[in-house]
């Protein structure tokens, strides 16, 4: 799990950045911004049994699969975590995650609280978790309506589920209220920068310091 990344002179372990929120609070938007700014960040592309939205591309936003395919993957142990969310199955394929971590790359997960709990349980030291809250419930509803990619029925179901999701805020390392998008994004980047610099993640430090001491 160690590699020298661009701009780093110290070898570092990859970390898993987990973003969760009630639907509509802004995870997907923040994920897109973060990936534009941080090309070295690998996005974990989930498999899901939900219907593709008009704006979504198979293999980019999700891999859209049948329930039978999902259950097969799950039962083979191909998923690092999985959950049923809003009546559909979602899961994170294990293989690409392991490949990224091995090469020292950070991975970004947009997953619900059940998935976050499983990933944390598997590798507690490697997970940094961030919960995104909406500034208010009327605004959350507006965002779901403005996104205009789900039916009224689906939106009502997601608002219902928001209560159960918001209740999990204490499980996360960081909590951001996504009022102003630019400010939330700046805070998210600050979290990532600081977490990358944690002493225990910079596994190349002992050798580096030995080198410094040897030259004194
Ligand atoms: P999620 O992935 O959490 O379901 P999205 O990122 O799809 O949420 O955001 C839902 C809608 O809200 C989108 O139309 C998005 O453009 C909008 N949005 C996201 N963040 C903000 C913000 N800070 N202020 C206003 N609108 C936002
Ligand atoms: P959406 O259908 O709006 O894309 O996502 C619905 C919810 O499922 C969101 O809370 C999202 O974070 C979650 N989700 C997406 N992919 C996964 C996954 O692979 N695992 C888990 N546990 N949740 C996921």
């Amino acid at each position: 799990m160690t590699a020298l990344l661009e701009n780093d002179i110290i070898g570092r372990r990859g970390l898993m950045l987990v973003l969760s929120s009630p639907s509509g609070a802004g995870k997907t938007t923040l994920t897109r911004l973060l990936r534009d700014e941080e090309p070295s960040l690998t996005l974990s592309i989930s498999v899901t049994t939900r219907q593709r939205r008009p704006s979504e591309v198979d293999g980019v936003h999700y891999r859209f699969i049948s329930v039978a395919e999902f259950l097969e993957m799950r039962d083979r142990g191909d998923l690092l975590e999985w959950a049923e969310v809003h009546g559909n199955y979602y899961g994170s394929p294990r293989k690409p995650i392991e490949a990224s971590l091995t090469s020292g790359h950070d991975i970004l997960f947009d997953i619900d609280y059940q998935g976050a709990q499983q990933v944390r349980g598997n590798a507690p030291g490697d997970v940094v978790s961030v919960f995104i809250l909406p500034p208010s419930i009327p605004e959350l509803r507006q965002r779901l309506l403005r996104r205009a990619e789900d039916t009224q029925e689906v939106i009502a179901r997601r608002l219902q589920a928001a209560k159960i999701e918001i209740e999990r805020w204490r499980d996360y390392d960081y909590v951001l209220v996504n009022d102003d998008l630019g400010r939330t994004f700046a805070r998210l980047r600050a979290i990532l920068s600081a977490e990358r610099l944690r002493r225990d993640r910079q596994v190349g430090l002992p050798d580096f310091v030995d080198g410094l001491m040897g030259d004194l």
Side-chain angles (χ1 to χ4, degrees), residues 21 42 61 63 71-72 78 89 126 129 142 183 192 209:
S21 80
T42 309
H61 300 93
R63 211 147 66 68
L71 296 177
E72 225 171 84
D78 290 351
Y89 288 121
D126 291 333
S129 60
Q142 279 307 312
R183 189 173 52 202
L192 182 59
V209 175

Side-chain angles (χ1 to χ4, degrees), residues 140-203:
L140 182 66
R141 182 178 293 112
Q142 279 307 312
R143 287 185 191 172
L144 285 169
L145 291 170
R146 237 183 284 137
R147 186 166 69 187
E149 294 213 62
D150 296 309
T151 62
Q152 292 282 347
E153 188 197 334
V154 167
I155 290 177
R157 191 167 176 173
R158 286 173 176 241
L159 277 171
Q160 278 287 316
K163 188 166 186 295
I164 294 168
E165 286 158 358
I166 290 174
E167 273 174 350
R168 309 308 292 242
W169 67 275
R170 284 189 184 82
D171 298 346
Y172 289 74
D173 300 319
Y174 299 91
V175 177
L176 299 174
V177 178
N178 182 20
D179 188 354
D180 178 82
L181 182 61
R183 189 173 52 202
T184 311
F185 179 54
R187 289 177 173 170
L188 185 59
R189 286 199 73 190
I191 291 168
L192 182 59
S193 297
E195 287 286 346
R196 283 174 167 164
L197 293 172
R198 285 183 73 103
R199 176 170 46 78
D200 50 3
R201 294 218 164 85
Q202 299 194 67
V203 292

Side-chain angles (χ1 to χ4, degrees), residues 19-24 27-28 44-48 50-51 53 56 62 70 81-86 88-93 109-116 118 147 150 158 165:
L19 292 189
S20 300
S21 80
S23 186
K27 281 179 313 288
T28 309
S44 167
I45 299 173
S46 300
V47 291
T48 182
R50 114 157 131 64
Q51 285 260 313
R53 294 186 183 129
E56 289 175 331
Y62 283 105
F70 185 94
E81 63 74 33
W82 69 276
E84 191 178 339
V85 190
H86 312 312
N88 297 297
Y89 288 121
Y90 296 83
S92 307
F109 293 83
D110 168 344
I111 59 178
D112 87 322
Y113 69 92
Q114 306 171 83
Q118 293 169 51
R147 186 166 69 187
D150 296 309
R158 286 173 176 241
E165 286 158 358

Side-chain angles (χ1 to χ4, degrees), residues 10-162:
I10 312 284
R12 182 169 73 72
R13 270 169 95 81
L15 60 80
M16 298 193 245
L17 181 65
V18 172
L19 292 189
S20 300
S21 80
S23 186
K27 281 179 313 288
T28 309
T29 308
L30 289 162
T31 298
R32 185 170 41 76
L33 292 173
L34 201 53
R35 290 204 64 218
D36 289 348
E37 291 286 320
E38 303 267 351
S40 71
L41 197 62
T42 309
L43 177 65
S44 167
I45 299 173
S46 300
V47 291
T48 182
T49 61
R50 114 157 131 64
Q51 285 260 313
R52 189 176 62 78
R53 294 186 183 129
S55 68
E56 289 175 331
V57 178
D58 188 28
V60 175
H61 300 93
Y62 283 105
R63 211 147 66 68
F64 296 92
I65 61 175
S66 67
V67 172
E69 281 175 289
F70 185 94
L71 296 177
E72 225 171 84
M73 284 186 81
R74 184 196 66 180
D75 295 344
R76 265 202 312 261
D78 290 351
L79 301 177
L80 179 72
E81 63 74 33
W82 69 276
E84 191 178 339
V85 190
H86 312 312
N88 297 297
Y89 288 121
Y90 296 83
S92 307
R94 188 188 292 278
K95 230 187 199 162
I97 297 165
E98 281 169 0
S100 288
L101 284 176
T102 308
S103 61
H105 283 91
D106 302 321
I107 310 173
L108 177 59
F109 293 83
D110 168 344
I111 59 178
D112 87 322
Y113 69 92
Q114 306 171 83
Q117 206 167 31
Q118 293 169 51
V119 174
R120 222 182 270 119
N122 282 334
D126 291 333
V127 176
V128 177
S129 60
V130 181
F131 197 79
I132 316 287
L133 286 171
S136 69
I137 299 305
E139 173 63 14
L140 182 66
R141 182 178 293 112
Q142 279 307 312
R143 287 185 191 172
L144 285 169
L145 291 170
R146 237 183 284 137
R147 186 166 69 187
E149 294 213 62
D150 296 309
T151 62
Q152 292 282 347
E153 188 197 334
V154 167
I155 290 177
R157 191 167 176 173
R158 286 173 176 241
L159 277 171
Q160 278 287 316

